[in-house]
Amino acid sequence: MSAGVTASGTATVDDDLWSAIGDPTRRRMLDLLLTDGEGTATTLSQRLPVTRQAVAKHLGVLDRVGLVRAVPAGKEKRYRVDDEQLARAAAQLASVGSTWDARLQRIKRIAETIHQNQQD
Amino acid sequence: MSAGVTASGTATVDDDLWSAIGDPTRRRMLDLLLTDGEGTATTLSQRLPVTRQAVAKHLGVLDRVGLVRAVPAGKEKRYRVDDEQLARAAAQLASVGSTWDARLQRIKRIAETIHQNQQD
DNA sequence: CTGATGTGCAACCAAAGGTTGCAGGAGGAT
DNA sequence: ATCCTCCTGCAACCTTTGGTTGCACATCAG
């Protein structure tokens, strides 16, 4: 059930990764993990408007796509961001963004060309 | 129902816009609209693995956040991408991506500093 | 051992993406 | 005007997913 390529075959985006970072709560969790260095389901839930169990599920999702790694420490289970995977995710975000920008530019350019030709 | 700022107060991301572009089907619809220039619920659904009704709902969402604009043309209702809004969305994607990158860099730098201090 | 604290699992709820089915409006052909 | 076709819009329904509550189990501190 992974993904690959969009309908137009340009973006080459991993849908699993996207849906993982598409959720606002998960994005905030990543933010917290980045700033704090690490965190458990309990500590994260204290700084978020959701319950510990919800956070635990999200951590499961993030762990499954590899954005986060669990480090069991006795009683608790500390989670830390996987740098490489997050970098990959960030790259994909930037990629899609710049793809859109590029197309918008191209469209604008074409529009201007048409405008010029009509003036001839 | 808008949004604003993440838990750490850094990103300033519009959650409505994010959730709009977070859906893979909607992203592909935007792709198609960008490449084709315009499209109706029917034409888009023909090039996507979902039904016309599903596409119509997505167009509703995209229209609500302003990423797309409807242009009634007699029998059919043509949709076109709103350039400014999509540019805004692209900027936000790039913003979050670069924020993550920056934090990863900072963490890496700190780690290296600690490593150095330990060697003293 | 006893009491906190942290985790894990299960049942349950609501919202969202998706489907089928059907009624209705706009054009083209006769 | 009529009929047929095509596209849209609305409603009911299913499934997944983000979220909750509740409870059982494990681990550390006293």
Side-chain angles (χ1 to χ4, degrees):
Chain A
M1 292 272 199
S2 53
V5 177
T6 65
S8 53
T10 306
T12 318
V13 169
D14 183 339
D15 266 10
D16 287 344
L17 202 55
W18 255 95
S19 67
I21 60 181
D23 183 89
T25 303
R26 285 196 281 266
R27 266 196 320 277
R28 277 159 200 158
M29 286 171 55
L30 289 174
D31 262 8
L32 289 174
L33 287 179
L34 275 180
T35 54
D36 297 1
E38 64 180 15
T40 69
T42 307
T43 64
L44 287 176
S45 69
Q46 289 165 353
R47 310 183 56 182
L48 288 170
V50 294
T51 61
R52 178 194 54 101
Q53 284 83 340
V55 171
K57 286 188 189 175
H58 285 306
L59 284 174
V61 174
L62 292 175
D63 189 45
R64 224 163 287 131
V65 300
L67 277 172
V68 121
R69 270 182 41 243
V71 181
K75 178 163 61 169
E76 60 196 359
K77 204 166 164 184
R78 296 204 176 87
Y79 285 86
R80 199 179 311 137
V81 172
D82 183 310
D83 293 23
E84 294 189 22
Q85 280 299 104
L86 188 67
R88 220 166 69 85
Q92 293 210 350
L93 287 184
S95 160
V96 172
S98 61
T99 298
W100 284 349
D101 263 342
R103 294 200 185 158
L104 289 173
Q105 295 272 349
R106 220 194 60 210
I107 290 167
K108 201 163 146 197
R109 215 195 47 208
I110 292 173
E112 282 167 2
T113 304
I114 291 173
H115 185 61
Q116 277 224 338
N117 287 348
Q118 283 178 339
Q119 276 186 330
D120 289 346
Chain B
M1 291 262 200
S2 53
V5 177
T6 65
S8 53
T10 305
T12 316
V13 169
D14 183 340
D15 266 10
D16 286 346
L17 203 56
W18 253 98
S19 67
I21 59 181
D23 183 89
T25 302
R26 285 196 281 266
R27 266 197 320 277
R28 277 159 199 158
M29 285 171 56
L30 289 174
D31 262 8
L32 289 174
L33 286 179
L34 275 180
T35 54
D36 297 2
E38 64 180 15
T40 68
T42 308
T43 65
L44 287 176
S45 69
Q46 289 165 352
R47 310 183 56 182
L48 287 170
V50 294
T51 60
R52 190 207 93 224
Q53 284 85 340
V55 171
K57 286 188 191 175
H58 286 305
L59 284 173
V61 175
L62 291 176
D63 189 43
R64 225 162 289 131
V65 299
L67 277 172
V68 122
R69 271 182 41 242
V71 181
K75 178 163 61 171
E76 60 196 359
K77 203 166 165 184
R78 297 204 176 87
Y79 286 86
R80 198 180 312 138
V81 173
D82 183 309
D83 292 23
E84 294 189 22
Q85 280 299 104
L86 188 67
R88 219 166 69 86
Q92 293 210 349
L93 287 184
S95 161
V96 172
S98 62
T99 297
W100 285 349
D101 262 342
R103 294 201 184 157
L104 289 174
Q105 296 272 350
R106 219 194 62 210
I107 290 167
K108 202 163 148 197
R109 214 196 47 209
I110 291 172
E112 283 166 1
T113 303
I114 292 173
H115 184 61
Q116 277 223 339
N117 287 348
Q118 282 179 338
Q119 276 186 329
D120 288 345

